[in-house]
mmCIF file of all heavy atoms in Angstrom:
data_model
loop_
_atom_site.group_PDB
_atom_site.id
_atom_site.type_symbol
_atom_site.label_atom_id
_atom_site.label_comp_id
_atom_site.label_asym_id
_atom_site.label_seq_id
_atom_site.Cartn_x
_atom_site.Cartn_y
_atom_site.Cartn_z
ATOM 1 N N LYS A 136 29.188 113.959 316.774
ATOM 2 C CA LYS A 136 29.066 115.392 316.418
ATOM 3 C C LYS A 136 29.396 116.209 317.689
ATOM 4 O O LYS A 136 30.127 117.160 317.452
ATOM 5 C CB LYS A 136 27.525 115.477 315.933
ATOM 6 C CG LYS A 136 27.297 117.104 315.547
ATOM 7 C CD LYS A 136 25.837 117.171 315.165
ATOM 8 C CE LYS A 136 25.519 118.616 314.779
ATOM 9 N NZ LYS A 136 24.141 118.765 314.473
ATOM 10 N N ASP A 137 28.942 115.788 318.910
ATOM 11 C CA ASP A 137 29.130 116.638 319.969
ATOM 12 C C ASP A 137 30.689 116.664 320.503
ATOM 13 O O ASP A 137 31.183 117.715 320.800
ATOM 14 C CB ASP A 137 28.330 116.256 321.261
ATOM 15 C CG ASP A 137 26.808 116.511 320.852
ATOM 16 O OD1 ASP A 137 26.488 117.277 319.938
ATOM 17 O OD2 ASP A 137 26.066 115.915 321.568
ATOM 18 N N ILE A 138 31.271 115.583 320.438
ATOM 19 C CA ILE A 138 32.749 115.526 320.869
ATOM 20 C C ILE A 138 33.620 116.133 319.860
ATOM 21 O O ILE A 138 34.547 116.713 320.176
ATOM 22 C CB ILE A 138 33.130 114.118 321.238
ATOM 23 C CG1 ILE A 138 33.326 113.206 320.032
ATOM 24 C CG2 ILE A 138 32.282 113.476 322.251
ATOM 25 C CD1 ILE A 138 34.120 111.801 320.312
ATOM 26 N N ALA A 139 33.325 116.047 318.585
ATOM 27 C CA ALA A 139 34.043 116.797 317.535
ATOM 28 C C ALA A 139 33.927 118.219 317.713
ATOM 29 O O ALA A 139 34.932 118.953 317.594
ATOM 30 C CB ALA A 139 33.573 116.335 316.189
ATOM 31 N N ALA A 140 32.685 118.687 317.899
ATOM 32 C CA ALA A 140 32.427 120.205 318.133
ATOM 33 C C ALA A 140 33.104 120.674 319.306
ATOM 34 O O ALA A 140 33.641 121.883 319.395
ATOM 35 C CB ALA A 140 30.973 120.396 318.272
ATOM 36 N N ALA A 141 33.404 119.803 320.359
ATOM 37 C CA ALA A 141 34.124 120.271 321.624
ATOM 38 C C ALA A 141 35.739 120.351 321.337
ATOM 39 O O ALA A 141 36.258 121.019 322.047
ATOM 40 C CB ALA A 141 33.782 119.329 322.705
ATOM 41 N N GLY A 142 36.048 119.526 320.258
ATOM 42 C CA GLY A 142 37.519 119.579 320.056
ATOM 43 C C GLY A 142 38.302 118.193 320.244
ATOM 44 O O GLY A 142 39.505 118.347 320.113
ATOM 45 N N ALA A 143 37.533 117.204 320.634
ATOM 46 C CA ALA A 143 38.244 115.928 320.702
ATOM 47 C C ALA A 143 38.625 115.398 319.378
ATOM 48 O O ALA A 143 38.119 115.719 318.354
ATOM 49 C CB ALA A 143 37.423 115.014 321.416
ATOM 50 N N LYS A 144 39.773 114.616 319.370
ATOM 51 C CA LYS A 144 40.192 114.067 318.161
ATOM 52 C C LYS A 144 40.279 112.541 317.939
ATOM 53 O O LYS A 144 40.382 112.083 316.920
ATOM 54 C CB LYS A 144 41.718 114.547 317.883
ATOM 55 C CG LYS A 144 41.921 116.077 317.783
ATOM 56 C CD LYS A 144 41.185 116.541 316.560
ATOM 57 C CE LYS A 144 41.404 118.164 316.406
ATOM 58 N NZ LYS A 144 40.586 118.579 315.136
ATOM 59 N N GLY A 145 40.143 111.818 319.167
ATOM 60 C CA GLY A 145 40.107 110.501 319.173
ATOM 61 C C GLY A 145 39.274 110.042 320.272
ATOM 62 O O GLY A 145 38.720 110.723 321.121
ATOM 63 N N LEU A 146 39.021 108.683 320.358
ATOM 64 C CA LEU A 146 38.095 108.035 321.280
ATOM 65 C C LEU A 146 38.651 106.548 321.534
ATOM 66 O O LEU A 146 38.840 105.811 320.633
ATOM 67 C CB LEU A 146 36.660 107.962 320.787
ATOM 68 C CG LEU A 146 35.523 107.385 321.666
ATOM 69 C CD1 LEU A 146 35.331 108.247 322.764
ATOM 70 C CD2 LEU A 146 34.330 107.132 320.901
ATOM 71 N N VAL A 147 38.620 106.304 322.781
ATOM 72 C CA VAL A 147 38.788 104.834 323.223
ATOM 73 C C VAL A 147 37.486 104.445 324.047
ATOM 74 O O VAL A 147 37.052 105.061 324.848
ATOM 75 C CB VAL A 147 39.998 104.788 324.239
ATOM 76 C CG1 VAL A 147 40.088 103.382 324.778
ATOM 77 C CG2 VAL A 147 41.297 105.221 323.655
ATOM 78 N N VAL A 148 36.976 103.268 323.403
ATOM 79 C CA VAL A 148 35.802 102.614 324.099
ATOM 80 C C VAL A 148 36.248 101.106 324.458
ATOM 81 O O VAL A 148 36.136 100.301 323.681
ATOM 82 C CB VAL A 148 34.695 102.673 323.106
ATOM 83 C CG1 VAL A 148 33.294 102.201 323.823
ATOM 84 C CG2 VAL A 148 34.459 104.049 322.395
ATOM 85 N N PRO A 149 36.539 100.913 325.802
ATOM 86 C CA PRO A 149 37.151 99.669 326.163
ATOM 87 C C PRO A 149 36.096 98.458 325.983
ATOM 88 O O PRO A 149 36.622 97.345 325.820
ATOM 89 C CB PRO A 149 37.582 99.763 327.571
ATOM 90 C CG PRO A 149 36.708 100.895 328.106
ATOM 91 C CD PRO A 149 36.500 101.849 326.912
ATOM 92 N N ASP A 150 34.768 98.631 326.031
ATOM 93 C CA ASP A 150 33.820 97.667 325.937
ATOM 94 C C ASP A 150 33.083 97.643 324.652
ATOM 95 O O ASP A 150 32.041 96.989 324.527
ATOM 96 C CB ASP A 150 32.881 97.732 327.208
ATOM 97 C CG ASP A 150 32.060 99.076 327.238
ATOM 98 O OD1 ASP A 150 32.488 100.017 326.490
ATOM 99 O OD2 ASP A 150 30.985 99.012 327.791
ATOM 100 N N LEU A 151 33.667 98.234 323.690
ATOM 101 C CA LEU A 151 33.053 98.230 322.321
ATOM 102 C C LEU A 151 33.287 96.818 321.669
ATOM 103 O O LEU A 151 34.434 96.485 321.490
ATOM 104 C CB LEU A 151 33.620 99.318 321.322
ATOM 105 C CG LEU A 151 33.261 99.290 319.989
ATOM 106 C CD1 LEU A 151 31.789 99.560 319.791
ATOM 107 C CD2 LEU A 151 34.076 100.459 319.265
#
Side-chain angles (χ1 to χ4, degrees):
K136 180 180 179 181
D137 291 344
I138 70 170
K144 298 298 182 182
L146 180 71
V147 176
V148 187
D150 61 342
L151 174 63

